[in-house]
Short mmCIF file of all heavy atoms in Angstrom, two decimals:
data_model
loop_
_atom_site.label_atom_id
_atom_site.label_comp_id
_atom_site.label_asym_id
_atom_site.label_seq_id
_atom_site.Cartn_x
_atom_site.Cartn_y
_atom_site.Cartn_z
N MET A 14 0.33 14.26 0.62
CA MET A 14 1.04 12.99 0.75
C MET A 14 1.00 12.24 -0.57
O MET A 14 -0.03 12.22 -1.25
CB MET A 14 0.40 12.12 1.85
CG MET A 14 0.97 10.71 1.90
SD MET A 14 -0.06 9.58 2.85
CE MET A 14 0.49 9.96 4.49
N ARG A 15 2.12 11.60 -0.88
CA ARG A 15 2.17 10.70 -2.02
C ARG A 15 2.53 9.31 -1.53
O ARG A 15 3.40 9.15 -0.67
CB ARG A 15 3.23 11.16 -3.04
CG ARG A 15 2.95 12.51 -3.66
CD ARG A 15 1.79 12.48 -4.61
NE ARG A 15 2.02 11.60 -5.77
CZ ARG A 15 1.10 11.37 -6.71
NH1 ARG A 15 -0.09 11.94 -6.61
NH2 ARG A 15 1.37 10.57 -7.71
N VAL A 16 1.87 8.32 -2.08
CA VAL A 16 2.15 6.93 -1.73
C VAL A 16 2.76 6.24 -2.94
O VAL A 16 2.29 6.44 -4.07
CB VAL A 16 0.86 6.19 -1.32
CG1 VAL A 16 1.16 4.74 -0.96
CG2 VAL A 16 0.18 6.90 -0.17
N VAL A 17 3.81 5.48 -2.70
CA VAL A 17 4.40 4.69 -3.78
C VAL A 17 4.55 3.25 -3.32
O VAL A 17 4.74 2.98 -2.13
CB VAL A 17 5.78 5.25 -4.23
CG1 VAL A 17 5.62 6.61 -4.87
CG2 VAL A 17 6.75 5.30 -3.08
N VAL A 18 4.44 2.34 -4.26
CA VAL A 18 4.64 0.92 -3.96
C VAL A 18 5.63 0.33 -4.94
O VAL A 18 5.76 0.81 -6.07
CB VAL A 18 3.31 0.13 -4.02
CG1 VAL A 18 2.33 0.62 -2.98
CG2 VAL A 18 2.69 0.18 -5.41
N ASP A 19 6.34 -0.67 -4.49
CA ASP A 19 7.30 -1.38 -5.32
C ASP A 19 6.81 -2.82 -5.47
O ASP A 19 6.98 -3.65 -4.59
CB ASP A 19 8.69 -1.35 -4.68
CG ASP A 19 9.75 -2.01 -5.54
OD1 ASP A 19 9.39 -2.78 -6.47
OD2 ASP A 19 10.94 -1.77 -5.28
N ARG A 20 6.15 -3.08 -6.59
CA ARG A 20 5.55 -4.41 -6.78
C ARG A 20 6.59 -5.50 -6.89
O ARG A 20 6.30 -6.68 -6.64
CB ARG A 20 4.65 -4.39 -8.02
CG ARG A 20 3.33 -3.66 -7.76
CD ARG A 20 2.46 -3.55 -9.01
NE ARG A 20 2.29 -4.78 -9.74
CZ ARG A 20 1.39 -5.72 -9.42
NH1 ARG A 20 0.60 -5.57 -8.38
NH2 ARG A 20 1.29 -6.82 -10.16
N GLU A 21 7.82 -5.17 -7.25
CA GLU A 21 8.88 -6.18 -7.32
C GLU A 21 9.29 -6.65 -5.93
O GLU A 21 9.64 -7.81 -5.73
CB GLU A 21 10.10 -5.61 -8.06
CG GLU A 21 9.83 -5.31 -9.53
CD GLU A 21 9.41 -6.56 -10.30
OE1 GLU A 21 10.06 -7.60 -10.13
OE2 GLU A 21 8.42 -6.49 -11.05
N ARG A 22 9.23 -5.76 -4.95
CA ARG A 22 9.61 -6.11 -3.58
C ARG A 22 8.47 -6.78 -2.82
O ARG A 22 8.69 -7.48 -1.85
CB ARG A 22 10.04 -4.87 -2.81
CG ARG A 22 11.33 -4.27 -3.32
CD ARG A 22 11.78 -3.10 -2.47
NE ARG A 22 12.25 -3.54 -1.16
CZ ARG A 22 12.97 -2.79 -0.35
NH1 ARG A 22 13.30 -1.57 -0.70
NH2 ARG A 22 13.36 -3.24 0.81
N CYS A 23 7.26 -6.51 -3.24
CA CYS A 23 6.08 -7.03 -2.54
C CYS A 23 6.10 -8.55 -2.50
O CYS A 23 6.36 -9.20 -3.50
CB CYS A 23 4.82 -6.54 -3.26
SG CYS A 23 3.29 -7.22 -2.57
N VAL A 24 5.80 -9.11 -1.31
CA VAL A 24 5.74 -10.56 -1.15
C VAL A 24 4.29 -11.05 -0.96
O VAL A 24 4.07 -12.20 -0.62
CB VAL A 24 6.63 -11.04 0.01
CG1 VAL A 24 8.08 -10.73 -0.29
CG2 VAL A 24 6.20 -10.41 1.33
N GLY A 25 3.35 -10.14 -1.13
CA GLY A 25 1.94 -10.53 -1.09
C GLY A 25 1.40 -10.83 0.29
O GLY A 25 0.42 -11.58 0.43
N ALA A 26 2.00 -10.27 1.30
CA ALA A 26 1.56 -10.55 2.67
C ALA A 26 0.19 -9.97 2.98
O ALA A 26 -0.51 -10.46 3.86
CB ALA A 26 2.59 -10.00 3.67
N GLY A 27 -0.19 -8.92 2.29
CA GLY A 27 -1.53 -8.37 2.45
C GLY A 27 -1.73 -7.45 3.63
O GLY A 27 -2.85 -7.01 3.89
N MET A 28 -0.68 -7.18 4.37
CA MET A 28 -0.83 -6.34 5.56
C MET A 28 -1.27 -4.92 5.20
O MET A 28 -2.03 -4.28 5.93
CB MET A 28 0.48 -6.29 6.35
CG MET A 28 0.91 -7.64 6.90
SD MET A 28 -0.35 -8.41 7.93
CE MET A 28 -0.38 -7.25 9.31
N CYS A 29 -0.80 -4.43 4.08
CA CYS A 29 -1.18 -3.07 3.67
C CYS A 29 -2.68 -3.00 3.40
O CYS A 29 -3.33 -2.01 3.75
CB CYS A 29 -0.38 -2.66 2.44
SG CYS A 29 -0.57 -3.76 1.03
N VAL A 30 -3.23 -4.03 2.79
CA VAL A 30 -4.66 -4.05 2.47
C VAL A 30 -5.49 -4.12 3.74
O VAL A 30 -6.53 -3.45 3.86
CB VAL A 30 -4.98 -5.23 1.53
CG1 VAL A 30 -6.45 -5.25 1.17
CG2 VAL A 30 -4.12 -5.15 0.28
N LEU A 31 -5.03 -4.91 4.70
CA LEU A 31 -5.75 -5.00 5.97
C LEU A 31 -5.69 -3.67 6.71
O LEU A 31 -6.65 -3.28 7.39
CB LEU A 31 -5.13 -6.09 6.85
CG LEU A 31 -5.35 -7.53 6.37
CD1 LEU A 31 -4.54 -8.49 7.22
CD2 LEU A 31 -6.81 -7.88 6.43
N THR A 32 -4.58 -2.97 6.57
CA THR A 32 -4.37 -1.73 7.32
C THR A 32 -5.04 -0.53 6.66
O THR A 32 -5.60 0.33 7.35
CB THR A 32 -2.86 -1.47 7.47
OG1 THR A 32 -2.26 -2.61 8.08
CG2 THR A 32 -2.59 -0.23 8.30
N ALA A 33 -4.99 -0.48 5.35
CA ALA A 33 -5.53 0.67 4.62
C ALA A 33 -6.24 0.19 3.34
O ALA A 33 -5.74 0.37 2.23
CB ALA A 33 -4.40 1.64 4.27
N PRO A 34 -7.41 -0.41 3.50
CA PRO A 34 -8.09 -1.01 2.34
C PRO A 34 -8.57 -0.01 1.31
O PRO A 34 -8.88 -0.40 0.18
CB PRO A 34 -9.27 -1.75 2.99
CG PRO A 34 -9.48 -1.08 4.29
CD PRO A 34 -8.13 -0.63 4.76
N GLU A 35 -8.63 1.25 1.66
CA GLU A 35 -9.04 2.25 0.68
C GLU A 35 -7.86 2.74 -0.15
O GLU A 35 -8.04 3.43 -1.15
CB GLU A 35 -9.70 3.43 1.39
CG GLU A 35 -11.02 3.04 2.05
CD GLU A 35 -11.53 4.10 2.97
OE1 GLU A 35 -10.72 4.73 3.67
OE2 GLU A 35 -12.76 4.32 3.00
N VAL A 36 -6.66 2.40 0.27
CA VAL A 36 -5.45 2.86 -0.42
C VAL A 36 -4.78 1.73 -1.20
O VAL A 36 -4.21 1.97 -2.27
CB VAL A 36 -4.45 3.46 0.60
CG1 VAL A 36 -3.18 3.95 -0.11
CG2 VAL A 36 -5.10 4.60 1.38
N PHE A 37 -4.89 0.49 -0.68
CA PHE A 37 -4.18 -0.64 -1.29
C PHE A 37 -5.14 -1.78 -1.61
O PHE A 37 -6.14 -1.98 -0.94
CB PHE A 37 -3.10 -1.17 -0.34
CG PHE A 37 -2.11 -0.14 0.10
CD1 PHE A 37 -2.24 0.46 1.34
CD2 PHE A 37 -1.05 0.24 -0.71
CE1 PHE A 37 -1.33 1.43 1.77
CE2 PHE A 37 -0.14 1.20 -0.30
CZ PHE A 37 -0.27 1.80 0.95
N ASP A 38 -4.76 -2.54 -2.63
CA ASP A 38 -5.43 -3.79 -2.96
C ASP A 38 -4.35 -4.76 -3.39
O ASP A 38 -3.17 -4.40 -3.46
CB ASP A 38 -6.46 -3.57 -4.07
CG ASP A 38 -7.51 -4.69 -4.13
OD1 ASP A 38 -7.40 -5.66 -3.36
OD2 ASP A 38 -8.43 -4.57 -4.96
N GLN A 39 -4.75 -6.01 -3.66
CA GLN A 39 -3.81 -7.00 -4.16
C GLN A 39 -4.35 -7.56 -5.46
O GLN A 39 -5.56 -7.73 -5.61
CB GLN A 39 -3.66 -8.15 -3.16
CG GLN A 39 -2.92 -7.78 -1.90
CD GLN A 39 -2.98 -8.89 -0.87
OE1 GLN A 39 -3.92 -8.96 -0.11
NE2 GLN A 39 -1.97 -9.74 -0.85
N ASP A 40 -3.43 -7.89 -6.38
CA ASP A 40 -3.89 -8.47 -7.64
C ASP A 40 -4.31 -9.92 -7.41
O ASP A 40 -3.93 -10.57 -6.43
CB ASP A 40 -2.84 -8.34 -8.73
CG ASP A 40 -1.61 -9.20 -8.51
OD1 ASP A 40 -1.76 -10.40 -8.25
OD2 ASP A 40 -0.49 -8.65 -8.58
N ASP A 41 -5.15 -10.41 -8.31
CA ASP A 41 -5.71 -11.75 -8.16
C ASP A 41 -4.71 -12.85 -8.51
O ASP A 41 -4.87 -13.99 -8.09
CB ASP A 41 -6.95 -11.90 -9.06
CG ASP A 41 -8.10 -11.03 -8.58
OD1 ASP A 41 -8.15 -10.74 -7.38
OD2 ASP A 41 -8.93 -10.65 -9.43
N GLU A 42 -3.69 -12.52 -9.28
CA GLU A 42 -2.77 -13.55 -9.76
C GLU A 42 -1.73 -13.92 -8.70
O GLU A 42 -1.60 -15.07 -8.30
CB GLU A 42 -2.06 -13.07 -11.03
CG GLU A 42 -2.98 -12.94 -12.24
CD GLU A 42 -3.86 -11.71 -12.19
OE1 GLU A 42 -3.44 -10.71 -11.58
OE2 GLU A 42 -4.97 -11.74 -12.74
N GLU A 43 -0.98 -12.92 -8.25
CA GLU A 43 0.14 -13.19 -7.33
C GLU A 43 -0.07 -12.60 -5.94
O GLU A 43 0.74 -12.81 -5.05
CB GLU A 43 1.43 -12.63 -7.91
CG GLU A 43 1.85 -13.25 -9.23
CD GLU A 43 3.08 -12.62 -9.79
OE1 GLU A 43 3.10 -11.38 -9.97
OE2 GLU A 43 4.05 -13.35 -10.03
N GLY A 44 -1.14 -11.84 -5.79
CA GLY A 44 -1.38 -11.20 -4.51
C GLY A 44 -0.50 -10.00 -4.25
O GLY A 44 -0.39 -9.52 -3.12
N ARG A 45 0.13 -9.51 -5.31
CA ARG A 45 1.00 -8.34 -5.11
C ARG A 45 0.19 -7.06 -5.03
O ARG A 45 -0.91 -6.96 -5.57
CB ARG A 45 2.01 -8.24 -6.26
CG ARG A 45 3.00 -9.38 -6.26
CD ARG A 45 4.16 -9.11 -7.17
NE ARG A 45 4.91 -10.33 -7.42
CZ ARG A 45 6.22 -10.37 -7.59
NH1 ARG A 45 6.94 -9.28 -7.53
NH2 ARG A 45 6.83 -11.51 -7.83
N VAL A 46 0.78 -6.12 -4.37
CA VAL A 46 0.09 -4.88 -4.05
C VAL A 46 -0.33 -4.10 -5.31
O VAL A 46 0.39 -4.07 -6.31
CB VAL A 46 0.97 -4.01 -3.13
CG1 VAL A 46 2.24 -3.54 -3.85
CG2 VAL A 46 0.19 -2.81 -2.58
N LEU A 47 -1.51 -3.52 -5.21
CA LEU A 47 -2.01 -2.56 -6.20
C LEU A 47 -2.29 -1.27 -5.46
O LEU A 47 -2.89 -1.28 -4.39
CB LEU A 47 -3.29 -3.07 -6.85
CG LEU A 47 -3.20 -4.37 -7.65
CD1 LEU A 47 -4.60 -4.83 -8.04
CD2 LEU A 47 -2.34 -4.18 -8.88
N LEU A 48 -1.88 -0.17 -6.04
CA LEU A 48 -2.11 1.12 -5.40
C LEU A 48 -3.42 1.71 -5.91
O LEU A 48 -3.56 2.00 -7.10
CB LEU A 48 -0.93 2.06 -5.72
CG LEU A 48 -0.95 3.42 -5.04
CD1 LEU A 48 -1.01 3.30 -3.53
CD2 LEU A 48 0.27 4.23 -5.47
N LEU A 49 -4.37 1.87 -5.00
CA LEU A 49 -5.68 2.40 -5.37
C LEU A 49 -5.71 3.93 -5.30
O LEU A 49 -6.45 4.58 -6.03
CB LEU A 49 -6.76 1.85 -4.43
CG LEU A 49 -6.96 0.34 -4.40
CD1 LEU A 49 -8.03 -0.01 -3.39
CD2 LEU A 49 -7.31 -0.18 -5.78
N ASP A 50 -4.95 4.47 -4.36
CA ASP A 50 -5.02 5.91 -4.09
C ASP A 50 -3.62 6.44 -3.79
O ASP A 50 -3.12 6.26 -2.69
CB ASP A 50 -5.97 6.15 -2.91
CG ASP A 50 -6.20 7.62 -2.64
OD1 ASP A 50 -5.59 8.47 -3.32
OD2 ASP A 50 -7.00 7.93 -1.75
N ALA A 51 -3.00 7.05 -4.78
CA ALA A 51 -1.63 7.56 -4.62
C ALA A 51 -1.56 8.89 -3.89
O ALA A 51 -0.49 9.32 -3.48
CB ALA A 51 -0.96 7.69 -5.99
N SER A 52 -2.69 9.54 -3.74
CA SER A 52 -2.74 10.85 -3.06
C SER A 52 -3.87 10.84 -2.05
O SER A 52 -4.89 11.52 -2.23
CB SER A 52 -2.95 11.97 -4.07
OG SER A 52 -1.94 11.99 -5.04
N PRO A 53 -3.72 10.06 -0.98
CA PRO A 53 -4.84 9.91 -0.04
C PRO A 53 -5.18 11.21 0.67
O PRO A 53 -4.30 12.00 1.01
CB PRO A 53 -4.34 8.85 0.94
CG PRO A 53 -2.88 8.82 0.79
CD PRO A 53 -2.57 9.24 -0.61
N THR A 54 -6.46 11.38 0.88
CA THR A 54 -6.93 12.52 1.65
C THR A 54 -6.58 12.33 3.13
O THR A 54 -6.21 11.24 3.56
CB THR A 54 -8.44 12.70 1.47
OG1 THR A 54 -9.07 11.45 1.73
CG2 THR A 54 -8.77 13.15 0.06
N THR A 55 -6.74 13.38 3.90
CA THR A 55 -6.31 13.39 5.29
C THR A 55 -6.86 12.21 6.08
O THR A 55 -6.15 11.59 6.88
CB THR A 55 -6.75 14.70 5.96
OG1 THR A 55 -6.22 15.78 5.19
CG2 THR A 55 -6.22 14.79 7.38
N ASP A 56 -8.10 11.86 5.85
CA ASP A 56 -8.72 10.79 6.62
C ASP A 56 -8.14 9.41 6.31
O ASP A 56 -8.36 8.46 7.06
CB ASP A 56 -10.24 10.78 6.38
CG ASP A 56 -10.59 10.62 4.92
OD1 ASP A 56 -9.93 11.25 4.07
OD2 ASP A 56 -11.52 9.87 4.61
N ARG A 57 -7.37 9.29 5.23
CA ARG A 57 -6.75 8.02 4.88
C ARG A 57 -5.25 8.00 5.16
O ARG A 57 -4.61 6.94 5.01
CB ARG A 57 -6.98 7.72 3.39
CG ARG A 57 -8.43 7.56 3.02
CD ARG A 57 -8.58 7.31 1.53
NE ARG A 57 -9.98 7.09 1.16
CZ ARG A 57 -10.39 6.82 -0.07
NH1 ARG A 57 -9.51 6.75 -1.05
NH2 ARG A 57 -11.67 6.64 -0.33
N GLN A 58 -4.70 9.13 5.54
CA GLN A 58 -3.24 9.22 5.64
C GLN A 58 -2.66 8.46 6.82
O GLN A 58 -1.56 7.90 6.73
CB GLN A 58 -2.81 10.69 5.67
CG GLN A 58 -3.03 11.36 4.32
CD GLN A 58 -2.61 12.81 4.30
OE1 GLN A 58 -2.09 13.34 5.29
NE2 GLN A 58 -2.85 13.48 3.20
N VAL A 59 -3.37 8.43 7.93
CA VAL A 59 -2.86 7.69 9.09
C VAL A 59 -2.72 6.21 8.74
O VAL A 59 -1.70 5.57 9.05
CB VAL A 59 -3.78 7.90 10.31
CG1 VAL A 59 -3.38 6.95 11.44
CG2 VAL A 59 -3.72 9.34 10.78
N ALA A 60 -3.74 5.67 8.10
CA ALA A 60 -3.69 4.27 7.71
C ALA A 60 -2.60 4.02 6.68
O ALA A 60 -1.91 2.99 6.73
CB ALA A 60 -5.05 3.83 7.17
N ALA A 61 -2.42 4.94 5.76
CA ALA A 61 -1.38 4.78 4.74
C ALA A 61 0.00 4.76 5.39
O ALA A 61 0.86 3.94 5.02
CB ALA A 61 -1.48 5.89 3.71
N ARG A 62 0.21 5.63 6.36
CA ARG A 62 1.51 5.64 7.07
C ARG A 62 1.69 4.35 7.86
O ARG A 62 2.80 3.80 7.95
CB ARG A 62 1.60 6.84 8.01
CG ARG A 62 1.72 8.16 7.30
CD ARG A 62 1.96 9.29 8.31
NE ARG A 62 1.70 10.58 7.70
CZ ARG A 62 2.53 11.22 6.88
NH1 ARG A 62 3.69 10.68 6.59
NH2 ARG A 62 2.21 12.39 6.38
N ALA A 63 0.63 3.85 8.44
CA ALA A 63 0.72 2.60 9.20
C ALA A 63 1.10 1.44 8.29
O ALA A 63 1.82 0.52 8.70
CB ALA A 63 -0.61 2.33 9.90
N ALA A 64 0.63 1.48 7.06
CA ALA A 64 0.96 0.41 6.12
C ALA A 64 2.45 0.33 5.84
O ALA A 64 3.00 -0.76 5.64
CB ALA A 64 0.19 0.61 4.82
N VAL A 65 3.11 1.47 5.86
CA VAL A 65 4.58 1.48 5.69
C VAL A 65 5.22 0.66 6.80
O VAL A 65 6.16 -0.12 6.57
CB VAL A 65 5.12 2.91 5.70
CG1 VAL A 65 6.65 2.91 5.62
CG2 VAL A 65 4.52 3.73 4.57
N THR A 66 4.70 0.81 8.00
CA THR A 66 5.27 0.13 9.17
C THR A 66 5.01 -1.37 9.15
O THR A 66 5.87 -2.16 9.52
CB THR A 66 4.67 0.75 10.45
OG1 THR A 66 4.93 2.15 10.45
CG2 THR A 66 5.28 0.13 11.68
N VAL A 67 3.82 -1.76 8.72
CA VAL A 67 3.46 -3.18 8.81
C VAL A 67 3.92 -4.00 7.62
O VAL A 67 3.99 -5.23 7.71
CB VAL A 67 1.94 -3.37 9.00
CG1 VAL A 67 1.47 -2.71 10.28
CG2 VAL A 67 1.15 -2.87 7.80
N CYS A 68 4.24 -3.37 6.51
CA CYS A 68 4.69 -4.13 5.34
C CYS A 68 6.00 -4.84 5.66
O CYS A 68 6.98 -4.18 6.02
CB CYS A 68 4.87 -3.21 4.14
SG CYS A 68 5.54 -4.10 2.70
N PRO A 69 6.06 -6.16 5.52
CA PRO A 69 7.27 -6.89 5.89
C PRO A 69 8.41 -6.79 4.88
O PRO A 69 9.54 -7.17 5.19
CB PRO A 69 6.77 -8.34 5.99
CG PRO A 69 5.63 -8.40 5.03
CD PRO A 69 4.96 -7.04 5.12
N SER A 70 8.13 -6.28 3.69
CA SER A 70 9.16 -6.26 2.66
C SER A 70 9.63 -4.86 2.28
O SER A 70 10.45 -4.71 1.37
CB SER A 70 8.63 -6.97 1.41
OG SER A 70 7.54 -6.27 0.86
N GLY A 71 9.11 -3.85 2.95
CA GLY A 71 9.54 -2.49 2.63
C GLY A 71 9.08 -2.05 1.26
O GLY A 71 9.72 -1.22 0.61
N ALA A 72 7.93 -2.56 0.83
CA ALA A 72 7.44 -2.25 -0.52
C ALA A 72 6.54 -1.03 -0.58
O ALA A 72 6.11 -0.65 -1.66
CB ALA A 72 6.70 -3.47 -1.07
N VAL A 73 6.25 -0.44 0.57
CA VAL A 73 5.38 0.73 0.62
C VAL A 73 6.15 1.90 1.18
O VAL A 73 6.89 1.78 2.16
CB VAL A 73 4.15 0.47 1.53
CG1 VAL A 73 3.26 1.70 1.61
CG2 VAL A 73 3.36 -0.73 1.04
N ALA A 74 5.99 3.08 0.57
CA ALA A 74 6.63 4.28 1.07
C ALA A 74 5.68 5.45 0.91
O ALA A 74 4.83 5.46 0.01
CB ALA A 74 7.93 4.56 0.32
N VAL A 75 5.82 6.44 1.79
CA VAL A 75 5.04 7.66 1.66
C VAL A 75 6.00 8.86 1.71
O VAL A 75 7.04 8.80 2.34
CB VAL A 75 3.96 7.81 2.75
CG1 VAL A 75 2.98 6.65 2.69
CG2 VAL A 75 4.57 7.91 4.12
N THR A 76 5.61 9.92 1.04
CA THR A 76 6.35 11.18 1.10
C THR A 76 5.38 12.29 1.45
O THR A 76 4.21 12.22 1.12
CB THR A 76 7.04 11.49 -0.24
OG1 THR A 76 6.05 11.56 -1.27
CG2 THR A 76 8.05 10.41 -0.59
N GLY A 77 5.90 13.29 2.09
CA GLY A 77 5.06 14.44 2.42
C GLY A 77 4.23 14.23 3.66
O GLY A 77 4.19 13.18 4.25
S1 SF4 B 12 2.10 -5.43 3.04
FE1 SF4 B 12 3.88 -5.14 1.70
S2 SF4 B 12 4.41 -7.20 1.03
FE2 SF4 B 12 2.31 -7.29 1.83
S3 SF4 B 12 0.99 -6.96 0.06
FE3 SF4 B 12 1.33 -4.97 0.98
S4 SF4 B 12 3.09 -4.15 -0.13
FE4 SF4 B 12 3.04 -6.34 -0.50
#
């Protein structure tokens, strides 16, 4: 699995961090998403996929 984020679309809602804190973080300035793990292992993939669903701005995507 590959995870990608679009920091321009991110509105800083933080849902991805709440859902998958090992995969996502937010920067201190604007609260925009930071990608911690672009290739999550199996134990993190369910949460990463859930983050796609909960993100209100469509700023998170996964492939594979
Ligand atoms: S849930 Fe979406 S909008 Fe909110 S911080 Fe994460 S990527 Fe940004």
